[in-house]
Amino acid sequence: MSTATRTTIQSPARAFESGGFAFGDRRTTAAIILALAFAIIPVRAGAQQPEPTIWMANAAVTSITHFGDRIYVGGQFTSMYPYTGGGAALDLGSQSPVPRFPLVTGDVYATVADGANGWYIGGAFTNVGGVARTNLAHVAANGTVTSWNPGANGTVYAIATSGSSVVAGGGFTFSGGQTRNNLVMLDGITGLATPWNPNANNLVGAVLVDGTTVYAGGNFTNVGGQARVGLAALDAGTGLATSWNPNPNNAVYALARNGATMIIGGVFTTVGGQARNRIAEVDLTTATPTAWNPNANNRVSALAVDGTTIYAGGYFTAIGGEVRGRLAAIDATSGLANAWNPNANSTVHALAMNGSALHVGGLFTIIGGQTRPYFATIDTGTGVASAWVASANGQVYALARSGSTLYAGGSFTTIGGSPRNRLACLDATNGALTDWDPNANNQVNDIVVDGGTIFVGGTFTSVGGQVRNRIAALDADTGLATPWNPNPNSLVNVLLLDGGTLYAGGAFTAIAGQTRNRIAALSTATGAATAWNPNANNQVLDLKMDGSTIYAGGAFSIIGGQTRVGIAALDAATGVPTPWDPEANNLVYEVLLDGNTVYAGGIFTTMGGQTRNRIAAIDATTGAVTPWDPNANGGVYTMALYGHDVIIGGDFTFVGGQTRNRLAVIDDVTGLADFNWDPNASTSVYAIDRLGTRLCVGGNFSYFDGQWAQGLAVIPLPIGVAAAPGSPLATAALEFALAPNPAISRATARFALRASAPVSLSIYDLAGRRVASLLTRSLRDAGPNEVELATSGLSAGVYFAKLETGSQSAIRKFVIVR
């Protein structure tokens, strides 16, 4: 049987049990639970943040399944994109981020190629690829962060290479181990500051190296030992200002060499005493402005030269005698704007040429007649934005091209997504998007894998390049639809694979040319419906199989000709319900099997006549509801097994006695939520799939534990620790017990340590609240230890004693009677 996850268009998604370990029947009565005085409940490591390598979705993910090294996801999304941080190298061929490029924590404002397919970057960041780097870093061609670590104690806005050195400008006073005000030359290998020290008295926002001269622009008034307003030429050997002095009356933020002249952009209104509004051309020999005068009505922030055309970007709305929204192409001779007019709806910060295309970054969301948030590629002939939609989720400030790679930097956390309509496949090893693209035209609710075939169900009417109504078989390599075509007349919520039979549940009343109400069995070879026909009177939302029994959950009240509300067990041969009948009072979205226990999740509030809010455990033989009662305050849509625990996702914010936002691990004996594991999803979780000790999570959330993760995330699962021989805790604590148990007035906690260690010992009630602290990191000697516990201040009931030694923990349950 293949693993998969479920959803329905009318309801939240549910997840198929995804390969958890089955430990048989651990259900027991409440009386027996209270008697288990020495039971150890694993305690987990703290809440984990999502892995940054997994690509995300721009809308809800409602189904997940993995097969080998692939993760298949379905839902409502129309594009997938990576978590890049503030900088990414984009492959111009695949039009996707280079997978190996390290994540930048912070903003990137400047970048330059290192000449060996790597990049120097500058900005306002603190970490690159997990390595501490303050505002300056070097990434090698293989994606590793090199040892080059000059650091800067302020933001870096400009960067350029000068032979074997790197010149950086910004708003710092210290870099490369030396005092350097706003401008520094660094050794390209060691990262140490060279003796070169122009000592700019204010911010440097642009640098350009031309042979033995370093040109600097900014809002300084003194640099290289001379008075220079906004623009200077500095000797690359001495750091002293040359005699070249165009003398703009305000800051310069963009520089571009154009033969024997320099094009400058900024906020100035005069150059060399002549009126030049925000853009000018200056002779490199005489420093005087030429007659070229495009006259921008607002700041020019970016420049690019392409033969006889000067491209300018910035804040302006008029330039070169024409109305031009923040981006214009200007004739290099006349200074007039040509007819090219992409008309960005907001600021342009960065430009980079690429043959007949111009890469543009900024604050805009519409440019070249298309929606292109913050980044676009514009045809230099037509001014139309290309089909490459490498949109970002924040401003793009820096662009630089080297061969077939474009580096983009900014205040974004993602850039370079790819269109994927409702179906996608990710590489499970690195989280990157593969090229598998079936392109469904509407929501995908479930996915199951059968070797080289991917079966999908949902609300679509086209997928894999063919008309396929709500169910299809797709080639696992090409994504193309096979001839298999049962053609149901309404949505499919769930699929269940068993050898050559595919069971389907949903809202349909006909499938494969046969009357089949909401549930059917199909041949995986021909698509024909078998004679199996339970005939549900309302939607089927989930299906699970255990031997000769198929468990169904949904909105039905009659199935197989018998009254079964929300949940039923069906004979896999006849479709007739077994006598098993827990009877939920509302929808069951998910059914999960674990030995002799059937877990149910949904929006019900009673099960088997007992109060059970949205989650319950049912005896698989008798249909009786067990005492297990996590009591969720919102819907439970998806579940999976994890050792002795049940992972659940949904819309709840409190479950198992703890505040848990939409995702929790519940102990399968006590019904309590894991004390420490709390990923904290920002909104609904619809699908989960276990990848060993990692959990792939889908939903319409945007954050996990405060870290951005939209629609799809992979987070580490808690690692259980018990005080048993061979366990990690056993290296510190040999035993841990409470006696007497049950206790009336006093009890003794006894534990033994292999070595002296700081120990904490606390008491918690059933709601997970700490009610007493007996030890707080108290250093205890090796060997036996005892701590007395006075119970007079505690009410009668069940409690948990939590022993912690370093990073390891264990819990003992004990009972107080009066």
Side-chain angles (χ1 to χ4, degrees):
M1 185 171 64
S2 188
T3 61
T5 47
R6 326 277 187 251
T7 189
T8 173
I9 198 168
Q10 288 91 354
S11 59
R14 292 105 32 238
F16 190 78
E17 184 272 314
S18 50
F21 302 105
F23 283 81
D25 182 15
R26 301 181 68 244
R27 300 301 106 207
T28 183
T29 65
I32 295 175
I33 291 176
L34 293 180
L36 292 176
F38 301 108
I40 298 176
I41 301 172
V43 174
R44 315 302 189 184
Q48 304 291 324
Q49 290 193 327
E51 296 177 6
T53 55
I54 192 78
W55 280 48
M56 294 174 281
N58 70 335
V61 169
T62 54
S63 56
I64 308 170
T65 191
H66 74 277
F67 186 78
D69 61 354
R70 290 189 166 194
I71 302 171
Y72 296 92
V73 296
Q76 301 164 350
F77 53 86
T78 56
S79 69
M80 303 288 293
Y81 50 89
Y83 183 26
T84 62
L90 305 174
D91 187 292
L92 293 172
S94 66
Q95 300 185 350
S96 294
V98 176
R100 67 180 182 270
F101 203 85
L103 178 74
V104 179
T105 304
D107 299 341
V108 174
Y109 296 125
T111 183
V112 66
D114 67 357
N117 298 316
W119 301 90
Y120 292 101
I121 61 174
F125 49 81
T126 57
N127 191 287
V128 180
V131 180
R133 289 292 183 268
T134 304
N135 305 329
L136 281 165
H138 179 222
V139 180
N142 64 2
T144 60
V145 179
T146 71
S147 60
W148 192 79
N149 185 22
N153 68 342
T155 303
V156 173
Y157 293 110
I159 195 165
T161 56
S162 175
S164 61
S165 300
V166 178
V167 180
F172 50 84
T173 59
F174 188 89
S175 182
Q178 300 291 328
T179 297
R180 291 292 184 270
N181 291 312
N182 309 304
L183 191 58
V184 65
M185 183 178 288
L186 304 160
D187 187 286
I189 302 299
T190 67
L192 297 176
T194 71
W196 192 82
N197 186 15
N199 192 32
N201 72 338
N202 212 327
L203 181 147
V204 172
V207 292
L208 187 152
V209 178
D210 184 21
T212 60
T213 304
V214 177
Y215 294 92
N219 61 0
F220 49 81
T221 56
N222 192 290
V223 66
Q226 299 291 328
R228 293 289 185 271
V229 177
L231 181 62
L234 308 165
D235 187 284
T238 66
L240 297 176
T242 72
S243 59
W244 189 80
N245 184 17
N247 195 30
N249 69 336
N250 211 327
V252 172
Y253 294 120
L255 301 170
R257 174 75 184 268
N258 183 32
T261 65
M262 180 78 73
I263 309 297
I264 64 173
V267 293
F268 52 83
T269 55
T270 67
V271 177
Q274 299 187 45
R276 292 291 185 274
N277 289 312
R278 295 118 190 154
I279 187 168
E281 182 181 46
V282 180
D283 189 284
L284 285 173
T285 301
T286 66
T288 58
T290 71
W292 191 80
N293 185 16
N295 189 33
N297 71 339
N298 208 332
R299 173 173 167 170
V300 173
S301 303
L303 294 165
V305 177
D306 184 28
T308 60
T309 302
I310 311 297
Y311 292 95
Y315 294 67
F316 54 82
T317 55
I319 191 171
E322 301 288 346
V323 173
R324 291 292 182 267
R326 295 107 186 160
L327 182 60
I330 303 165
D331 187 277
T333 302
S334 68
L336 298 177
N338 65 31
W340 189 82
N341 185 17
N343 193 29
N345 70 337
S346 193
T347 311
V348 169
H349 296 311
L351 301 173
M353 292 301 308
N354 181 17
S356 61
L358 179 68
H359 301 294
V360 185
L363 179 60
F364 53 83
T365 56
I366 298 174
I367 189 171
Q370 303 291 327
T371 298
R372 294 290 186 270
Y374 311 113
F375 174 83
T377 299
I378 309 296
D379 187 286
T380 55
T382 65
V384 175
S386 76
W388 185 20
V389 188
S391 59
N393 69 336
Q395 295 190 58
V396 173
Y397 288 107
L399 293 171
R401 186 176 70 88
S402 176
S404 61
T405 304
L406 178 74
Y407 188 86
S411 59
F412 51 81
T413 54
T414 182
I415 188 171
S418 295
R420 285 295 184 274
N421 290 312
R422 294 103 185 171
L423 270 171
C425 178
L426 307 177
D427 187 308
T429 58
N430 60 24
L433 187 70
T434 71
D435 58 5
W436 191 77
D437 185 15
N439 190 31
N441 72 337
N442 213 328
Q443 181 170 327
V444 172
N445 294 333
D446 200 15
I447 307 169
V448 296
V449 182
D450 185 17
T453 303
I454 314 297
F455 292 99
V456 295
T459 62
F460 52 83
T461 56
S462 173
V463 67
Q466 300 291 328
V467 173
R468 288 294 183 269
N469 291 312
R470 307 163 190 99
I471 193 168
L474 306 171
D475 187 281
D477 293 323
T478 66
L480 297 177
T482 74
W484 190 86
N485 187 16
N487 194 32
N489 67 342
S490 189
L491 67 92
V492 173
N493 293 321
V494 58
L495 301 172
L496 170 64
L497 184 65
D498 179 38
T501 302
L502 182 71
Y503 297 90
F508 52 84
T509 56
I511 191 169
Q514 301 291 322
T515 299
R516 291 291 184 272
N517 290 311
R518 295 125 191 144
I519 186 168
L522 307 168
S523 167
T524 58
T526 66
T530 73
W532 192 79
N533 186 14
N535 190 32
N537 73 333
N538 209 331
Q539 287 198 51
V540 172
L541 304 175
D542 195 23
L543 295 169
K544 295 290 166 39
M545 191 170 197
D546 184 15
S548 61
T549 303
I550 293 177
Y551 292 89
F556 52 82
S557 57
I558 298 174
I559 192 168
Q562 298 190 36
T563 299
R564 293 290 187 273
V565 181
I567 189 167
L570 308 170
D571 187 286
T574 66
V576 175
T578 73
W580 190 84
D581 184 16
E583 189 178 353
N585 74 333
N586 212 325
L587 275 66
V588 172
Y589 287 124
E590 174 81 349
V591 179
L592 179 64
L593 309 180
D594 181 16
N596 198 47
T597 301
V598 177
Y599 295 98
I603 58 172
F604 52 83
T605 56
T606 68
M607 180 71 73
Q610 298 191 45
T611 299
R612 288 294 183 273
N613 289 312
R614 294 113 189 157
I615 186 168
I618 306 158
D619 189 288
T621 302
T622 65
V625 176
T626 76
W628 189 80
D629 186 15
N631 189 31
N633 72 339
V636 173
Y637 309 138
T638 178
M639 298 189 290
L641 295 174
Y642 182 51
H644 293 286
D645 296 330
V646 180
I647 310 167
I648 66 171
D651 268 326
F652 52 83
T653 56
F654 190 88
V655 67
Q658 299 282 332
T659 297
R660 288 294 179 269
N661 291 312
R662 296 111 191 162
L663 190 63
V665 168
I666 307 295
D667 186 274
D668 74 343
V669 171
T670 66
L672 295 177
D674 185 284
F675 277 96
N676 296 320
W677 193 74
D678 184 13
N680 192 28
S682 61
T683 187
S684 305
V685 169
Y686 294 146
I688 56 177
D689 185 30
R690 268 200 49 219
L691 310 171
T693 57
R694 303 152 71 214
L695 187 69
C696 194
V697 186
N700 64 357
F701 47 80
S702 299
Y703 293 90
F704 266 101
D705 204 26
Q707 180 172 308
W708 183 56
Q710 187 170 358
L712 186 67
V714 171
I715 56 177
L717 281 162
I719 305 300
V721 177
S727 72
L729 184 60
T731 62
L734 297 179
E735 59 183 52
F736 174 35
L738 289 136
N741 195 353
I744 298 175
S745 60
R746 302 189 70 81
T748 301
R750 296 187 176 92
F751 56 92
L753 302 177
R754 290 187 183 274
S756 61
V759 174
S760 296
L761 182 59
S762 301
I763 307 299
Y764 295 83
D765 64 15
L766 278 174
R769 297 175 296 229
R770 184 164 57 189
V771 295
S773 294
L774 306 183
L775 299 173
T776 304
R777 293 191 57 79
S778 173
L779 185 63
R780 289 284 167 153
D781 293 333
N785 284 264
E786 291 187 357
V787 177
E788 292 297 316
L789 166 63
T791 65
S792 57
L794 301 176
S795 303
V798 180
Y799 293 87
F800 298 94
K802 178 182 178 183
L803 175 73
E804 297 177 277
T805 59
S807 62
Q808 309 301 329
S809 304
I811 290 179
R812 296 279 188 176
K813 187 181 339 180
F814 71 101
V815 180
I816 296 175
V817 296
R818 293 286 186 252

